[in-house]
Amino acid sequence: MYHAHIYFDECQINAAERLHEKIAQRQDVSRVFPLVHREVGPHSKPMFEVHFADNKQGFVDWLDNERGELSVLIHPVSDDVLSDHTTKAIWLGAVLPIKTEILL
C-alpha cells in the first residue's frame, strides 16, 4: 500500500479540487480523502490523501502529468513511519518540509 499526499495553498484550491475529482474517478485507487484546509500531522501545508496499491507506477505517472504546480509526496506504508515519509518517499514537484519530530 502507498499513500500520496497532494499539497495546495490558498491560490491552488481550485486546482486541488479538480485533481481530487479526477483521482476519485480512477479505478486504481482504494481511497481518496477529503481536502484538509489546514496543516495536519507531519504535513506543512494543507493537503488531501490518496491510498493506492503496490502496483503504483501507472498511477504515479498519471499523477505526475496531472498535478500541474501541486507538490505530491508519495510513500510506502510500513512499520517505519519516519523512513516512509523521508528516505523511502518520492516527491513530484517542489519538496516541502515534513515535521519529522511528529513521526518519532
Side-chain angles (χ1 to χ4, degrees):
M1 175 68 68
Y2 283 82
H3 292 174
H5 301 276
I6 296 100
Y7 299 95
F8 59 92
D9 57 30
E10 234 177 74
C11 60
Q12 296 173 317
I13 290 173
N14 290 337
E17 288 173 340
R18 283 191 301 274
L19 183 58
H20 187 273
E21 289 175 15
K22 288 181 180 181
I23 292 171
Q25 295 174 9
R26 291 187 59 94
Q27 305 261 332
D28 55 354
V29 298
S30 55
R31 187 164 182 195
V32 182
F33 291 79
L35 276 70
V36 178
H37 295 269
R38 60 181 170 74
E39 293 180 17
V40 62
H43 306 286
S44 59
K45 284 181 81 171
M47 58 97 191
F48 68 94
E49 186 174 339
V50 179
H51 293 183
F52 57 101
D54 292 343
N55 184 7
K56 69 180 183 357
Q57 198 56 49
F59 177 68
V60 172
D61 290 344
W62 177 88
L63 186 56
D64 194 25
N65 287 326
E66 295 291 327
R67 68 177 177 79
E69 297 295 316
L70 302 174
S71 291
V72 180
L73 168 67
I74 298 170
H75 67 81
V77 178
S78 75
D79 292 337
D80 187 350
V81 179
L82 178 60
S83 180
D84 289 348
H85 284 78
T86 56
T87 59
K88 295 179 185 174
I90 63 168
W91 284 91
L92 307 176
V95 176
L96 303 175
I98 295 293
K99 300 173 193 171
T100 55
E101 65 278 5
I102 291 174
L103 302 173
L104 300 174

